[in-house]
Amino acid sequence: MQRVTILGATGSIGASTLDVIARHPDRFTIYALTAHSRVDELAAQCRQFRPQVAVVGSAAAAEKLSRLLRQQDIATQVEYGEQALCSVASADECDTVMAAIVGAAGLLPTLAAARVGKKVLLANKEALVMSGQLFMDAISGNGATLLPIDSEHNAIFQCLPAAYGRAPAAHGIARILLTASGGPFLHRPVESLETVTPEEAVAHPNWVMGKKISVDSATMMNKGLEVIEAHWLFGAPASQIEVVIHPQSVVHSMVSYADGSVLAQMGNPDMRTPIAHALAYPERIASGVAAVDLTRIGTLQFFAPDFGRFPCLKLAYDVLREGGTAATVLNAANEVAVDAFLARRIGFRMISQVIERVLSRLSSQPASSLDVLLEQDKLARESAESFITS
Ligand code: NAD
Ligand code: MG
């Protein structure tokens, strides 16, 4: 029996993870569920899955959750705050941690899981993007297992040799091809992007996801973060990671080998496939997702991305080449800019401008410690905020 903690249980990935787990009561039990503020949803999840611990973001939320659980005679212990997130991610009572908090807020609990050698299922790409080598060292230095949940990285993982050692050349790998849907604005005139609304930006053509990643998909910063994520997960330099636009989201990514073979993983766009793959790895279990019907889809298209339309994608390649804390700064500035866009404080095209400005103000430092990363994250947020309000 695998005992699972889900960080970010009330989100899109959290709900899909519980959906898969509910199909296999013989394999998985829930040790802990966490949410930031959606207490009613978390209470409903506690009723169904009976975790030992539930963690929320504040004392007020904890009080409300405790009351709801008491009324229903549910014995789940309620805690709150970052330290509690780290405890449930590293507790002896759990084997596997689904890291599905959105943004930098997920870094410390995910690191806590890595540092005690858990099986870490990584959806929270921002945590890896902002901490890079430090995160990978925490995994390898403590005997932890890292399995990618992001559909592209999970696809690449499936297309790699079984004993892949994060060295593409040693395995005859020429390139990693990350597919991207192109998001909702792939064909919209660039000039008109200034006036798009948050509602239009979060309406992704193929995937239903949280708001932040949906906006990131519209700017293609999501693909930029994924290029950086692929660099750390698979040990490939920027020059060997290529983005290919594929509007149907059926091929989830590919690996191109020296002999001319290109291996692809295909499936319907439903996150339960990569989640089930990682939960059961190296076995295969049912996820609730039907196999893709290629005769119904008929046509699969692929083309190169337009960096002029998607400046965020270029910024991500730039920071990956630069190294150091540049990716930490990019990630933090992006989080602030996306929040400001969703709050209608800035227009859509300002998102990349905010990030570019912050990157030009904060020069990259060696990413030598967690303190340095957290300090750069904070400075980047302040810088982005001051640019937005000026
Ligand atoms: P979401 O917004 O639907 O859910 C986010 C979860 O994080 C919620 O449970 C929320 O309570 C929690 N959370 C938010 N802020 C928090 C904070 N400050 N402290 C603690 N918890 C907090 O997001 P999502 O779409 O499920 O995405 C989660 C992560 O997975 C993101 O990093 C995203 O990039 C990644 N991801 C998502 C998808 C997808 O299809 N949704 C695909 C690939 C990767
Ligand atoms: Mg993805």
Side-chain angles (χ1 to χ4, degrees):
M1 196 59 104
Q2 230 183 108
R3 301 162 300 174
V4 183
T5 285
I6 304 180
L7 303 170
T10 53
S12 164
I13 292 289
S16 293
T17 305
L18 287 171
D19 183 285
V20 174
I21 284 179
R23 293 165 193 274
H24 302 280
D26 52 321
R27 284 179 176 261
F28 308 108
T29 63
I30 299 289
Y31 166 64
L33 296 175
T34 89
H36 197 50
S37 54
R38 288 195 223 147
V39 172
D40 293 309
E41 278 150 90
L42 186 60
Q45 293 179 341
C46 290
R47 187 165 57 241
Q48 186 179 352
F49 292 95
R50 307 283 165 152
Q52 278 184 48
V53 190
V55 181
V56 287
S58 65
E63 208 169 295
K64 182 177 171 195
L65 181 62
S66 298
R67 190 163 16 90
L68 288 173
L69 296 181
R70 255 198 323 271
Q71 283 165 4
Q72 305 174 66
D73 271 337
I74 298 167
T76 300
Q77 183 186 324
V78 177
E79 295 175 7
Y80 69 92
E82 191 160 63
Q83 191 46 53
L85 290 175
C86 293
S87 315
V88 294
S90 55
D92 289 343
E93 295 92 331
C94 101
D95 311 298
T96 299
V97 175
M98 168 57 81
I101 288 175
V102 59
L107 175 64
L108 293 183
T110 309
L111 257 184
R115 284 176 171 161
V116 295
K118 299 293 185 206
K119 174 172 160 186
V120 179
L121 312 188
L122 186 75
N124 180 200
K125 66 193 86 183
E126 297 93 344
L128 178 57
V129 166
M130 71 182 287
S131 65
Q133 190 65 53
L134 189 126
F135 187 86
M136 296 310 293
D137 288 348
I139 293 285
S140 59
N142 297 288
T145 303
L146 181 60
L147 293 169
I149 294 299
D150 216 343
S151 56
E152 295 77 4
H153 305 75
N154 184 272
I156 292 160
F157 181 81
Q158 294 193 46
C159 295
L160 288 172
Y164 181 67
R166 292 184 71 228
H171 296 274
I173 290 163
R175 269 164 184 272
I176 284 173
L177 304 171
L178 272 180
T179 52
S181 69
F185 305 140
L186 183 56
H187 300 298
R188 185 153 170 153
V190 175
E191 315 75 63
S192 75
L193 289 178
E194 192 45 42
T195 55
V196 300
T197 62
E199 291 75 18
E200 290 173 293
V202 301
H204 196 278
N206 306 338
W207 299 92
V208 181
M209 310 181 286
K211 279 189 185 158
K212 195 261 177 182
I213 184 175
S214 297
V215 175
D216 284 347
S217 297
T219 61
M220 278 194 82
M221 180 54 95
N222 182 51
K223 209 51 53 182
L225 297 175
E226 290 182 0
V227 167
I228 301 171
E229 183 184 12
H231 163 73
W232 292 114
L233 288 173
F234 308 121
S239 58
Q240 284 186 317
I241 306 170
E242 191 178 323
V243 171
V244 181
I245 305 262
H246 166 48
Q248 291 79 17
S249 297
V250 168
V251 172
H252 295 309
S253 278
M254 296 171 268
V255 177
S256 174
Y257 286 86
D259 61 4
S261 299
V262 177
L263 301 193
Q265 186 262 357
M266 292 191 273
N268 283 315
D270 187 321
M271 290 306 293
R272 291 176 301 175
T273 296
I275 290 167
H277 171 268
L279 275 171
Y281 182 80
E283 293 172 42
R284 297 272 182 174
I285 57 171
S287 65
V289 182
V292 68
D293 181 350
L294 289 171
T295 57
R296 255 192 59 207
I297 293 163
T299 307
L300 298 179
Q301 297 166 297
F302 301 92
F303 44 92
D306 171 356
F307 286 88
R309 172 181 290 272
F310 297 113
C312 287
L313 183 56
K314 181 177 178 303
L315 290 173
Y317 269 107
D318 290 347
V319 306
L320 178 55
R321 291 198 174 94
E322 179 152 9
T325 55
T328 316
V329 169
L330 168 116
N331 177 66
N334 181 55
E335 286 190 30
V336 173
V338 170
D339 272 348
F341 169 70
L342 285 170
R344 295 175 214 277
R345 294 173 63 211
I346 60 172
F348 184 75
R349 291 177 82 183
M350 264 283 275
I351 295 174
S352 64
Q353 291 163 26
V354 170
I355 301 162
E356 204 169 349
R357 172 68 78 94
V358 174
L359 281 168
S360 71
R361 280 195 188 164
L362 295 175
S363 55
S364 182
Q365 318 278 317
S368 49
S369 70
L370 185 58
D371 286 345
V372 168
L373 297 178
L374 295 177
E375 176 67 10
Q376 290 298 308
D377 175 90
K378 179 166 158 273
L379 290 174
R381 283 168 201 274
E382 287 166 4
S383 176
E385 192 53 50
S386 79
F387 180 52
I388 288 165
T389 45
S390 69

